[in-house]
Amino acid sequence: MKTINFRYIRLFAAALVCMILSVSCKDFLSEKPYDFYDEADFYKNVTELELAVNGAFEVLSDKMTYGHFMLVTDCDTDVSHVKGSGTGHTARDLGHYNIYTAHTWLEEAWGLYYTGIDRVNRIMKNADRVDLPDEDSRKTFSRLIAEAKFLRAICYFDLVRMWGDVPFKLTASDKTENFAVEKTDREVVYNQIVKDFEEAAADLPWQDEVSSYEGRPTKGAALGLLARAYLYRAGYSLRQNGNMERPDNYRDYYQKVKEICAELINSHHHALNPNYERVFKNVCENILEPSEVMYEVQFYNPSGENDHSSKIGSYNSPEIDRNSSYGLGNSFIKTTHFVYDWYEEGDLRRETAVATFKIDAQDNVIQIPRNQSYTWAPGKWRRNWIPGPPKDLENMDINFILLRYSDILLMYAEAVNALDGQLDQLALECLNQVKRRAYGYDPTVANSEIDLKASDFASSEDVTEYLMVERVRELCFEGFRRFDLIRWNKLAEVLDDFALKFNNAVKEGILSNYVWAAGNYFQAGKHELYPIPEYEIRETRGTLKQNPNY
């Protein structure tokens, strides 16, 4: 890791130079950043600290984290797949489980996450040097340090859920140190993730307690992501022995999920938007709505170029002809009628979530026949919902939704069921709020026509089966399905079942001829984790060990 970590130091210095002097990063990256900037002269006040924190958050708005890469990590499952059956294409190889240790996207994502971690570690190293002359500056300082910890927790959490045991470091990198670091057990890394989210939550404001919400991290976001981290920690993951296992004390972690989600629910700082479709139209229209959308990874490039723009709304959208007035809908991520059929009649989420159409060069909407449903697409992000002419054919400014309040409600219900084997009244109310909204009713008003009752679930298994489907109906294409199946230890089983169902549909003529490729490549006990990048194994001369079966 020595070479790659040294690059992090240079990139961080270059980023700060770019922020301070407002010149092109490309110009500085072609030079030697240290000729232009001395870290010892920085961090004099909270203004400079904020520049450093903003610079650290840039790693999330890169295409190889949340701008593009994360869209593909949720494929291929029974919910979505990468278009095309072949391999030898970067996205298809990753999505179809034809994964190799030199995959460039994995190398870049790994490097960016450790870049973010190192930038936060450097902020922590220099925090004591910031001048705090008054109460306002002290409050700003506390908030910025909390934001930095929030970011570090996200980076480590993503590393753990994708790679398992990973190198762990809380000190700023120095070019003289030995970077041949071994893996650290994920439980140790989880301890730090929890600590960072808890400390962030303590010093961040609620979203409705700030005079002008600008999309920065909030207390609700930190608590919600803390609950998510505990939920994953309670679940199964592929261990270095090649087995899917969960911690012996997993119930302790479900208890934490229950407590944190209850705190969020009872705080009344967050609520569902009464209109499901409006949630996603708001994101497409760049309208921040922190009541439900508790945290978004933000993207923006004024000219539509690559830096800090995303593929969201093009790569994971309905297909739109490049000559359309809306701009290209590349539509590389697809779904099927099997997902569409999980929605019952009257569930308004279906027409928002699943796009059964494409748009031609004249902006005409053309329905795609059911026997080609493998070309249907996610519908939550659409270029035709974006106001104004396109800035770029493919690049977008649409944010990545990292956390919604509906997930808090579903996590609470899941944790209660895992602990008690049944739902309590609050858990039923959580499920009913999600369901009422889905059918067009006020989510907070009881509705005898559609409300679920305890008697609707004969067993804990019934609740689990309901949640496995309801999380798809509510959260599909938002980055959860594959990771949910892994933590439930269901990925291999679901992929086998779906391959059989899909292939039978082709044989019976329900679907026209198409190969669902993931069924041919997925290997249980291997693909529940990504491989450690080959470059890291080589540079550490084998100190960093590869994940099972790669």
Side-chain angles (χ1 to χ4, degrees), residues 180 214 218 240 244 391 412 426 507 541:
E214 299 176 344
T218 64
Q240 297 304 301
M244 291 292 290
K391 291 186 292 186
Y412 179 83
L426 179 56
K507 289 177 184 177
R541 298 184 180 181

Side-chain angles (χ1 to χ4, degrees), residues 509-520:
I510 297 170
L511 289 174
S512 58
N513 192 33
Y514 185 82
V515 176
W516 187 71
N520 297 329

Side-chain angles (χ1 to χ4, degrees), residues 4 6 8 35 57 69 74 103 115 122 141 210 213 239 255 340 347 350 374 418 468 505 522:
I4 200 163
F6 181 53
Y8 302 161
D35 292 345
F57 270 87
F69 170 72
D74 198 31
H103 195 286
T115 297
R122 192 162 301 279
F141 174 86
V210 293
Y213 178 73
R239 301 288 168 160
Q255 182 63 35
Y340 188 87
D347 190 332
R350 182 177 66 183
Y374 49 81
M468 286 182 67
F522 178 80

Side-chain angles (χ1 to χ4, degrees), residues 56-62 65-67 113 151 154-155 295 297 299:
F57 270 87
E58 285 183 342
V59 299
L60 299 186
S61 62
D62 193 282
T65 51
Y66 282 89
Y113 282 120
L151 171 65
I154 289 173
C155 291
Y295 189 69
V297 176
F299 294 90

Side-chain angles (χ1 to χ4, degrees), residues 342-455:
W342 265 335
Y343 294 93
E344 297 175 352
E345 226 24 73
D347 190 332
L348 303 178
R349 295 173 297 187
R350 182 177 66 183
E351 306 310 317
T352 298
V354 181
T356 62
F357 61 88
K358 59 184 178 180
I359 297 176
D360 68 12
Q362 289 73 45
D363 296 348
N364 298 310
V365 176
I366 301 171
Q367 289 297 319
I368 301 170
R370 189 177 174 89
N371 69 352
Q372 296 175 24
S373 71
Y374 49 81
T375 68
W376 291 357
K380 292 179 174 179
W381 308 273
R382 308 181 188 186
R383 292 203 77 138
N384 54 311
W385 282 351
I386 298 173
K391 291 186 292 186
D392 184 87
L393 192 62
E394 293 191 47
N395 290 328
M396 313 289 285
D397 289 334
I398 296 178
N399 294 344
F400 187 103
I401 300 174
L402 194 60
L403 178 67
R404 286 201 289 122
Y405 182 64
S406 58
D407 194 18
I408 302 300
L409 301 176
L410 295 175
M411 285 195 291
Y412 179 83
E414 182 177 343
V416 168
N417 185 57
L419 290 167
D420 304 334
Q422 59 185 357
L423 299 175
D424 61 19
Q425 286 303 307
L426 179 56
L428 279 168
E429 175 62 16
C430 288
L431 295 183
N432 282 326
Q433 286 199 17
V434 174
K435 186 176 182 183
R436 290 171 200 145
R437 197 253 305 263
Y439 284 83
Y441 297 105
D442 186 329
T444 62
V445 177
N447 189 306
S448 59
E449 293 184 21
I450 66 166
D451 277 4
L452 297 164
K453 304 178 292 296
S455 59

Side-chain angles (χ1 to χ4, degrees), residues 21-147:
L21 301 182
S22 300
V23 295
S24 169
C25 284
K26 293 180 181 178
D27 293 340
F28 277 100
L29 289 175
S30 65
E31 304 291 337
K32 295 179 179 179
Y34 291 115
D35 292 345
F36 296 89
Y37 176 70
D38 186 347
E39 185 180 21
D41 294 331
F42 204 63
Y43 297 101
K44 295 187 295 295
N45 51 51
V46 292
T47 299
E48 293 184 350
L49 176 63
E50 184 164 8
L51 288 173
V53 172
N54 291 347
F57 270 87
E58 285 183 342
V59 299
L60 299 186
S61 62
D62 193 282
K63 288 230 174 40
M64 285 300 99
T65 51
Y66 282 89
H68 192 181
F69 170 72
M70 271 297 183
L71 308 182
V72 178
T73 62
D74 198 31
C75 302
D76 288 16
T77 67
D78 54 341
V79 170
S80 63
H81 58 273
V82 176
K83 178 173 69 176
S85 301
T87 57
H89 177 281
T90 310
R92 287 196 191 101
D93 285 341
L94 187 63
H96 295 344
Y97 303 102
N98 183 43
I99 303 172
Y100 34 89
T101 59
H103 195 286
T104 55
W105 284 15
L106 295 177
E107 290 179 348
E108 289 182 57
W110 171 280
L112 283 162
Y113 282 120
Y114 277 108
T115 297
I117 289 165
D118 193 67
R119 290 179 181 182
V120 174
N121 291 345
R122 192 162 301 279
I123 288 168
M124 299 306 170
K125 171 189 171 184
N126 288 282
D128 290 343
R129 296 174 46 223
V130 179
D131 185 35
L132 304 173
D134 51 41
E135 183 62 23
D136 285 346
S137 63
R138 287 189 287 273
K139 287 181 179 179
T140 301
F141 174 86
S142 296
R143 173 180 60 80
L144 291 170
I145 293 298
E147 290 180 3

Side-chain angles (χ1 to χ4, degrees), residues 286-550:
N286 289 319
I287 297 172
L288 294 173
E289 186 227 344
S291 179
E292 169 155 359
V293 181
M294 299 169 71
Y295 189 69
E296 304 174 41
V297 176
Q298 297 187 59
F299 294 90
Y300 180 72
N301 187 302
S303 60
E305 296 178 354
N306 277 324
D307 290 344
H308 308 303
S309 61
S310 75
K311 295 286 188 181
I312 303 166
S314 174
Y315 208 79
N316 60 342
S317 74
E319 180 181 339
I320 302 178
D321 190 280
R322 66 175 53 244
N323 295 311
S324 164
S325 67
Y326 305 120
L328 175 67
N330 199 18
S331 195
F332 214 71
I333 292 177
K334 298 297 188 180
T335 188
T336 64
H337 71 273
F338 298 111
V339 175
Y340 188 87
D341 292 348
W342 265 335
Y343 294 93
E344 297 175 352
E345 226 24 73
D347 190 332
L348 303 178
R349 295 173 297 187
R350 182 177 66 183
E351 306 310 317
T352 298
V354 181
T356 62
F357 61 88
K358 59 184 178 180
I359 297 176
D360 68 12
Q362 289 73 45
D363 296 348
N364 298 310
V365 176
I366 301 171
Q367 289 297 319
I368 301 170
R370 189 177 174 89
N371 69 352
Q372 296 175 24
S373 71
Y374 49 81
T375 68
W376 291 357
K380 292 179 174 179
W381 308 273
R382 308 181 188 186
R383 292 203 77 138
N384 54 311
W385 282 351
I386 298 173
K391 291 186 292 186
D392 184 87
L393 192 62
E394 293 191 47
N395 290 328
M396 313 289 285
D397 289 334
I398 296 178
N399 294 344
F400 187 103
I401 300 174
L402 194 60
L403 178 67
R404 286 201 289 122
Y405 182 64
S406 58
D407 194 18
I408 302 300
L409 301 176
L410 295 175
M411 285 195 291
Y412 179 83
E414 182 177 343
V416 168
N417 185 57
L419 290 167
D420 304 334
Q422 59 185 357
L423 299 175
D424 61 19
Q425 286 303 307
L426 179 56
L428 279 168
E429 175 62 16
C430 288
L431 295 183
N432 282 326
Q433 286 199 17
V434 174
K435 186 176 182 183
R436 290 171 200 145
R437 197 253 305 263
Y439 284 83
Y441 297 105
D442 186 329
T444 62
V445 177
N447 189 306
S448 59
E449 293 184 21
I450 66 166
D451 277 4
L452 297 164
K453 304 178 292 296
S455 59
D456 292 329
F457 304 100
S459 66
S460 174
E461 289 72 23
D462 284 352
V463 177
T464 298
E465 289 179 12
Y466 178 85
L467 285 167
M468 286 182 67
V469 176
E470 183 66 354
R471 284 186 66 82
V472 172
R473 289 187 289 238
E474 177 65 23
L475 301 168
C476 57
F477 317 122
E478 295 179 49
F480 295 103
R481 185 58 170 178
R482 195 175 73 86
F483 290 118
D484 278 347
L485 292 173
I486 290 170
R487 66 182 179 84
W488 292 328
N489 196 18
K490 292 283 188 181
L491 182 60
E493 175 187 331
V494 166
L495 292 184
D496 283 346
D497 289 348
F498 187 74
L500 180 63
K501 183 164 64 174
F502 190 97
N503 292 336
N504 283 340
V506 172
K507 289 177 184 177
E508 294 166 8
I510 297 170
L511 289 174
S512 58
N513 192 33
Y514 185 82
V515 176
W516 187 71
N520 297 329
Y521 292 98
F522 178 80
Q523 296 179 41
K526 176 180 180 178
H527 290 133
E528 292 88 352
L529 291 178
Y530 289 141
I532 304 296
E534 181 181 287
Y535 176 91
E536 296 295 316
I537 304 292
R538 184 176 68 249
E539 289 299 305
T540 63
R541 298 184 180 181
T543 300
L544 190 57
K545 303 299 183 184
Q546 188 53 272
N547 278 333
N549 297 313
Y550 283 102

